């Protein structure tokens, strides 16, 4: 992402704010779309929980993507942004009745369900509306995604999905209910996955599952392999676009889709992280006996993910080209975890310098809070400058 050309503009704007580079956004969408076409009948769904900015939704819609929603609010927001219900998959372990009704009202593509009680409730509510809901079953494939334990979701010990042993009885259950149809299989094994071997394992597992289902004369219309493709947080400038090629190539090579089947994936981080930056100003530089702190005006209330699973984001000083020194880059909050980086190398930094925290487009603004009565942080796109 080319930030230097915006420095003069950034200087005039009150910090902190999230900045989105629309050129890189469009390039990212183009590249993802291009490589997904290796696979017939494929649709990429934007996992809206990573970023639901209106401009981003609008470009994503224009590029022909669908939506992966995890709440009724996200479904409504997607519809407002021009997506049709048939482009929306609805996931989540704890859908409320109200949220299910929002899905039914909008005739969404499918409910990705995680338990039998959920199927029963969807059936009851669908019956009351005179509709039939498409059900995709989230299967827990018990695959280790080799990522941080707080973002691993596909192991037996996680709360997600239905265990493999329960899959066929669950499908039979759906077939016996009047207002739900068995539509497909859904998987999601974790987030920030860089070890592509996991996706090969997942493909092979899905092949076995399909084989077993066909042995029972069960036809599956759609396979949704979830999201989780990781990005390069350490070298975002060298690798501004996730490795979509390898991701789709693996499924192309190992996943045996049937001719009639549609293929879906749900990407959040890979579609949104790298074109976002958190732009913040240095309030003070504080030297102690053995440390040097650069204190900035953004804290973890704007970027919750730092404390959630110790994400490491690259920070750059946009306004200094002096020789480098070591700093702890910290926010103003009264918490020791309010820290963006320890012992990071920055050009000599002073009060007023503008620091960009990179790869901040995913799970950034969507999680921002107003902790300490601070105003909610704004989002500014390159088109608005
Ligand atoms: C969070 C989530 C995603 C997106 O995850 P990323 O790691 O951001 O790609 C996709 N599918 C489901 C079901 C999710 O919960």
């Amino acid at each position: 992402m080319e930030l230097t050309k915006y420095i003069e503009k950034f200087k005039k704007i009150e910090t902190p704010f999230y900045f989105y580079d629309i050129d890189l956004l469009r390039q990212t969408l183009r590249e993802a779309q291009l490589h997904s076409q290796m696979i017939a009948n494929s649709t990429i769904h934007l996992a809206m929980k990573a970023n639901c900015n209106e401009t981003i939704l609008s470009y994503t819609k224009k590029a022909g993507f669908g939506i992966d929603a995890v709440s009724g609010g996200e479904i409504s927001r997607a519809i407002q942004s021009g997506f049709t219900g048939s482009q929306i998959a609805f996931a989540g372990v704890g859908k409320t009745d109200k949220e299910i009704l929002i899905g039914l009202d909008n005739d969404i593509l499918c409910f990705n369900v995680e338990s039998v009680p959920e199927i029963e409730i969807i059936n009851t509510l669908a019956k009351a509306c005179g509709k039939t809901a498409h059900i995709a079953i989230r299967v827990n494939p018990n695959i280790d995604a080799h990522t941080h334990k707080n973002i691993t979701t596909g192991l037996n010990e996680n709360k997600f999905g239905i265990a493999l042993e329960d899959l066929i009885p669950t499908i039979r259950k759906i077939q016996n209910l009047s207002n739900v149809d068995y539509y497909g299989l859904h998987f999601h094994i974790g987030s920030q996955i860089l070890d592509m071997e996991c996706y090969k394992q997942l493909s092979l597992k899905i092949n076995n599952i399909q084989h077993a289902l066909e042995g029972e004369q069960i036809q599956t219309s759609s396979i949704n392999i979830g999201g989780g493709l990781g990005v390069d947080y350490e070298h975002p400038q060298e690798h501004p676009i996730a490795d979509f090629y390898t991701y789709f190539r693996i499924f192309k090579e190992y996943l045996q889709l049937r001719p009639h089947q549609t293929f879906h994936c749900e990407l959040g981080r890979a579609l949104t992280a790298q074109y976002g930056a958190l732009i913040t100003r240095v309030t003070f530089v504080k030297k102690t006996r053995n440390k040097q702190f650069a204190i900035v005006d953004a804290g973890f209330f704007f970027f919750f993910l730092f404390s959630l699973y110790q994400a490491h984001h690259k920070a750059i000083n946009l306004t200094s080209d002096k020789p480098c020194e070591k700093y702890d880059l910290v926010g103003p909050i009264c918490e020791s975890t309010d820290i963006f980086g320890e012992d990071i190398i920055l050009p000599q930094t002073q009060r007023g310098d503008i620091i960009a925290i990179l790869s901040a487009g995913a799970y950034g603004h969507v999680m921002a809070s107003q902790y300490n009565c601070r105003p909610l942080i704004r989002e500014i796109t390159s088109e608005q400058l």
Side-chain angles (χ1 to χ4, degrees):
M1 183 164 48
E2 184 49 68
L3 287 172
T4 43
K5 65 181 178 198
Y6 299 113
I7 293 174
E8 289 313 309
K9 291 191 168 140
F10 287 169
K11 280 183 184 167
K12 295 191 193 113
I13 302 173
E14 190 184 341
T15 49
F17 59 91
Y18 277 97
F19 172 75
Y20 303 129
D21 181 339
I22 300 300
D23 285 343
L24 184 54
L25 154 71
R26 296 173 69 173
Q27 243 176 294
T28 305
L29 294 174
R30 219 176 299 133
E31 192 130 332
Q33 193 72 293
L34 173 76
H35 295 308
S36 74
Q37 283 162 4
M38 265 190 259
I39 301 174
N41 304 321
S42 60
T43 306
I44 307 174
H45 296 250
L46 167 68
M48 226 176 127
K49 71 174 192 274
N51 193 318
C52 58
N53 174 272
E54 225 175 279
T55 310
I56 291 174
L57 288 181
S58 146
Y59 277 107
T60 308
K61 152 130 197 19
K62 265 186 241 156
F65 287 58
I67 286 288
D68 165 47
V70 292
S71 74
E74 286 189 353
I75 296 174
S76 303
R77 167 85 73 108
I79 297 285
Q80 274 164 25
S81 298
F83 289 89
T84 60
S86 62
Q87 294 178 295
I88 302 172
F90 182 17
V93 285
K95 303 176 188 78
T96 64
D97 291 15
K98 190 174 160 190
E99 292 179 314
I100 292 168
L101 286 169
I102 293 175
L104 290 169
D105 272 353
N106 289 294
D107 298 315
I108 59 169
L109 176 70
C110 63
F111 291 84
N112 296 338
V113 307
E114 310 222 10
S115 68
V116 171
E118 184 187 341
I119 294 168
E120 289 166 345
I121 290 295
I122 294 173
N123 182 62
T124 305
L125 295 172
K127 199 168 186 171
C129 310
K131 300 207 170 180
T132 301
H134 281 167
I135 304 291
I137 301 176
R138 177 161 177 179
V139 179
N140 187 335
N142 197 23
I143 288 176
D144 191 345
H146 300 122
T147 181
H148 192 278
K149 71 173 171 23
N150 291 3
I151 44 176
T152 295
T153 55
L155 287 173
N156 281 342
E157 67 208 50
N158 299 125
K159 70 179 170 186
F160 302 101
I162 281 173
L164 265 181
E165 311 81 87
D166 301 328
L167 179 59
I168 291 172
T170 305
I171 295 174
R172 295 287 178 230
K173 169 96 200 172
I174 294 172
Q175 290 171 334
N176 286 329
L177 292 170
S178 57
N179 290 66
V180 282
D181 274 345
Y182 168 63
Y183 175 66
L185 298 171
H186 175 227
F187 303 85
H188 180 61
I189 56 175
S191 201
Q192 183 53 16
I193 295 171
L194 294 170
D195 174 4
M196 297 287 193
E197 176 72 17
C198 307
Y199 290 122
K200 177 179 165 189
Q201 295 310 321
L202 177 61
S203 302
L204 300 178
K205 204 117 197 193
I206 296 173
N207 294 344
N208 288 339
I209 296 172
Q210 289 231 71
H211 196 70
L213 294 185
E214 282 163 355
E216 297 282 322
Q217 269 70 51
I218 295 169
Q219 294 297 324
T220 302
S221 306
S222 128
I223 302 288
N224 181 336
I225 49 94
L229 176 61
V231 300
D232 190 343
Y233 282 109
E234 307 202 346
H235 308 287
Q237 285 136 311
E238 292 82 352
H239 301 125
I241 297 185
D243 189 1
F244 296 114
Y245 171 78
T246 307
Y247 179 73
F248 288 111
R249 180 77 226 163
I250 286 181
F251 290 108
K252 165 91 185 150
E253 192 165 339
Y254 296 104
L255 180 63
Q256 291 161 358
L257 291 167
R258 308 300 183 248
H260 61 277
Q261 276 175 339
T262 58
F263 172 88
H264 302 259
C265 65
E266 308 160 333
L267 296 171
R269 191 184 311 269
L271 288 180
T272 58
Q274 301 292 44
Y275 53 76
L278 176 57
I279 308 294
T280 179
R281 233 183 212 93
V282 177
T283 328
F284 296 107
V285 174
K286 171 176 165 175
K287 292 185 180 158
T288 63
R289 207 149 286 150
N290 40 22
K291 281 252 184 199
Q292 191 166 222
F293 295 94
I295 303 165
V296 293
D297 59 8
F300 77 175
F301 47 101
F302 294 141
F303 209 165
F304 183 62
L305 223 57
F306 275 91
S307 48
L308 197 63
Y309 52 80
Q310 299 103 44
H312 293 288
H313 291 239
K314 187 164 181 184
I316 51 177
N317 186 332
L318 292 175
T319 45
S320 167
D321 50 12
K322 300 198 186 99
C324 286
E325 294 185 6
K326 232 187 231 178
Y327 294 89
D328 278 14
L329 188 66
V330 300
I333 314 275
C334 193
E335 296 281 352
S336 301
T337 50
D338 185 22
I339 181 161
F340 291 109
E342 238 177 319
D343 289 333
I344 63 169
I345 307 294
L346 289 173
Q348 201 182 67
T349 295
Q350 57 183 12
R351 175 175 167 79
D353 278 351
I354 293 185
I355 307 276
I357 293 163
L358 304 180
S359 317
Y363 305 103
H365 187 269
V366 286
M367 287 198 189
S369 84
Q370 291 182 277
Y371 188 46
N372 298 162
C373 300
R374 291 171 204 263
L376 194 61
I377 186 167
R378 289 178 304 156
E379 299 173 286
I380 297 176
T381 69
S382 52
E383 287 179 339
Q384 292 168 303
L385 290 181

